[in-house]
């Protein structure tokens, strides 16, 4: 049996900066907790396109297919627009997600009292917030056909995309959400736009039918996406598991991030179906993206990437205790006052990305 391979794709923008810190954390677990993994770094994104003429070079594609888990920084960035559309579509993040069949995207949102000040929401609204957005990741309007930009006979241009879901796609992600809810507080909120879209009508019917037939122990409710966006800032503590489609999940997770204090705090896991060996493809990445405006300054918050490592330890590496240890170390570093600029109160002095990484490592040494 070959050793457990982790494919690390630093990517573009602040990706390499946050991944450097996440990698130090992974290496701490290798050195100190006998984590038996091999780490390999591979080019991906706009930088890879510049050097190799491909966003996703063949060698990187082979490496992520062979890997037990993938850790990704971010893709896209300053010169992403200079990449021809075909090259971008052929190797971009939606393509990677789809080619590895990563249908389930998990975005946990947890508030930490030390970060209440960093949030735009009131303290009392933030108390007890602990929920997960389960986003369908390889269907819907991101992939639906027909799509394109065409020129009409009258010379006008028309851009179009298609929102589409089949019943099996809906049932697969709903099942995932119900099973996850069983390990939590057994509440699922399904989000759609059934008042306007047929794809939403089907979504709602299928989710409800699955709940009635197989998950009677789960409390299920449905919200329209506009109402959900409002509820996320009005009373985010009401949620346990939110299940929604690809584009609504994209939008709602950025919105929900403010409860955690900053988009820079959010980790994610994207999971494929379980195969006959009991394994599943898995990609871990911070939610924040490449943030070209702050890239290269060493100020990006690495905690989204570091907490993604915690998700990897729990979901791919069978190390739930180490995952909890890492989350506790992050909490302790924050409690002691370590703040990157995105979560720093005015008048206090922030630490750099590597300063934050070092603060987490110090707490790992102390707690581990
Ligand atoms: C995300 C991002 C991606 C998405 C982009 C980079 C394609 O915003 O992971 O939320 O829209 O899915
Ligand atoms: Mg997004």
């Amino acid at each position: 049996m070959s050793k457990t391979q982790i494919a690390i794709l630093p990517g573009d923008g602040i990706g390499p900066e946050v991944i450097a810190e996440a990698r130090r954390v992974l290496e701490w677990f290798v050195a100190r907790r006998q984590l038996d993994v091999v780490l390999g770094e591979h080019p991906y994104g706009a930088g890879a396109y510049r050097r190799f003429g491909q966003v996703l070079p063949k060698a990187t594609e082979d490496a992520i297919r062979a890997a037990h888990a993938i850790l990704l920084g971010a893709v896209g960035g300053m010169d992403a627009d200079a990449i021809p559309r075909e090259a971008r579509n052929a190797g971009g993040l939606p393509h990677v997600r789809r080619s590895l069949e990563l249908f389930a995207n998990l975005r946990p949102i947890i508030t930490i009292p030390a970060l209440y000040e960093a949030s735009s929401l009131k303290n009392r609204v933030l108390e007890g917030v602990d929920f997960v957005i389960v986003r369908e990741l390889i269907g819907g309007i991101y992939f639906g056909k027909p799509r394109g930009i065409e020129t009409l006979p009258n010379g006008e241009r028309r851009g179009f995309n298609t929102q589409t879901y089949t019943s099996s796609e809906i049932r697969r992600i709903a099942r995932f959400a119900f099973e996850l809810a069983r390990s939590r507080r057994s509440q699922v909120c399904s989000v759609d736009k059934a008042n306007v879209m047929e794809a939403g009508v089907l979504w709602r019917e299928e989710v409800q039918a699955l709940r009635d037939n197989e998950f009677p122990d789960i409390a299920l409710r449905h919200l329209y996406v506009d109402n959900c966006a409002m509820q996320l800032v009005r009373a985010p503590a009401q949620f346990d598991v939110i299940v929604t489609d690809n584009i609504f999940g994209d939008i709602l997770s950025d919105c929900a991030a403010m409860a955690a204090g900053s988009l820079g705090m959010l980790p994610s896991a994207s999971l494929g179906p379980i195969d006959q060996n009991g394994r599943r493809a898995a990609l871990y990445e911070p939610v924040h993206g490449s943030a070209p405006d702050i890239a290269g300054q060493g100020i990006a918050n690495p905690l989204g990437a570091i907490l993604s490592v915690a998700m990897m330890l729990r979901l791919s590496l069978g190390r739930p205790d180490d995952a909890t240890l890492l989350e506790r170390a992050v909490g302790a570093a924050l409690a002691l006052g370590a703040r990157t600029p995105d979560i720093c109160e005015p008048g206090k002095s922030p630490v750099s990305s590597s300063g934050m990484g070092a603060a987490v490592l110090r707490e790992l040494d102390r707690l581990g």
Side-chain angles (χ1 to χ4, degrees):
M1 202 38 213
S2 60
K3 270 186 117 183
T4 303
Q5 305 275 340
I6 313 271
I8 302 182
L9 278 46
D12 302 317
I14 60 172
E17 298 164 52
V18 298
I19 288 301
E21 302 314 313
R23 185 175 180 143
R24 286 165 76 192
V25 165
L26 256 175
E27 281 166 352
W28 186 93
F29 282 93
V30 172
R32 302 289 298 276
R33 306 276 291 192
Q34 296 80 45
L35 180 66
D36 199 15
V37 294
V38 180
L39 309 180
E41 259 185 53
H42 310 278
Y44 178 50
Y49 181 78
R50 263 199 315 274
R51 278 161 58 210
F52 307 104
Q54 280 180 310
V55 173
L56 178 65
K58 177 77 171 59
T60 301
E61 190 165 3
D62 292 345
I64 62 176
R65 278 194 189 287
H68 283 65
I70 305 161
L71 179 65
L72 169 67
V75 261
M78 215 91 83
D79 50 4
D81 290 339
I83 303 173
R85 176 169 294 277
E86 281 98 80
R88 226 185 309 162
N89 288 349
L93 202 43
H95 163 84
V96 167
R97 290 166 174 170
R98 184 132 164 158
S99 68
L100 297 175
E101 218 188 334
L102 304 173
F103 72 97
N105 179 227
L106 272 73
R107 298 186 164 183
I109 320 278
I110 296 165
T111 53
I112 303 176
L115 286 187
Y116 281 3
E117 255 322 292
S119 174
S120 54
L121 302 178
K122 293 187 170 68
N123 289 6
R124 64 176 156 79
V125 171
L126 295 172
E127 250 149 59
V129 170
D130 175 0
F131 65 94
V132 185
I133 297 180
V134 176
R135 168 189 177 191
E136 200 293 324
L137 202 58
I138 57 172
I141 201 164
Y142 274 54
F143 298 96
K145 293 198 173 107
R147 63 186 297 163
I149 301 176
E150 65 182 8
T151 304
L152 302 174
N154 68 1
E156 266 230 288
R157 296 209 302 157
R158 175 175 171 268
F160 52 100
N161 294 86
T162 304
Q163 169 76 326
T164 160
Y165 271 103
T166 61
S167 43
S168 61
E169 285 175 315
I170 299 166
R171 282 200 297 263
R172 174 162 76 166
I173 194 68
R175 178 179 304 284
F176 187 99
F178 289 138
E179 281 168 359
L180 176 66
R182 270 187 179 153
S183 70
R184 298 174 49 96
R185 303 191 300 276
S186 297
Q187 295 165 28
V188 172
C189 175
S190 173
V191 177
D192 60 49
K193 191 68 184 169
N195 52 344
V196 176
M197 294 161 75
E198 281 75 9
V201 173
L202 184 71
W203 180 281
R204 188 170 286 222
E205 287 175 4
E206 291 293 342
V207 173
Q208 186 66 52
L210 184 67
R211 141 73 178 66
D212 294 346
N213 293 331
E214 294 182 41
F215 296 91
D217 52 314
I218 300 293
L220 170 67
R221 66 186 174 128
H222 304 271
L223 286 183
Y224 297 133
V225 62
D226 48 350
N227 184 18
C228 181
M230 186 272 284
Q231 295 297 339
L232 279 172
V233 287
R234 190 190 71 86
Q238 70 184 283
F239 295 110
D240 179 19
V241 174
I242 292 177
V243 63
T244 191
D245 77 8
N246 203 342
I247 194 164
F248 297 155
D250 177 48
I251 298 166
L252 294 176
S253 57
D254 268 35
C255 178
M258 275 325 294
S262 163
L263 193 51
M265 291 298 301
L266 288 206
S268 80
S270 303
L271 306 175
I274 297 175
D275 67 17
Q276 56 292 31
N277 305 318
R279 279 182 40 193
R280 68 194 325 163
L283 182 152
Y284 299 86
E285 58 175 319
V287 176
H288 52 60
S290 61
D293 53 320
I294 60 160
Q297 300 176 38
I299 59 169
N301 186 345
L303 293 182
I306 288 172
L307 290 168
S308 297
V309 169
M311 293 188 84
M312 179 191 288
L313 287 165
R314 184 174 286 120
L315 299 173
S316 284
L317 302 179
R319 297 286 197 121
D321 295 347
D322 285 339
T324 305
L325 170 64
L326 178 51
E327 286 158 355
R328 283 179 53 222
V330 166
L334 290 169
L336 287 172
R339 297 284 187 278
T340 42
D342 58 312
I343 49 174
C344 195
E345 284 171 55
K348 301 231 168 110
S349 42
V351 298
S352 63
S353 311
S354 59
M356 183 62 96
V360 173
L361 289 170
R362 261 196 309 277
E363 294 313 304
L364 280 173
D365 281 338
R366 202 174 57 78
L367 298 166

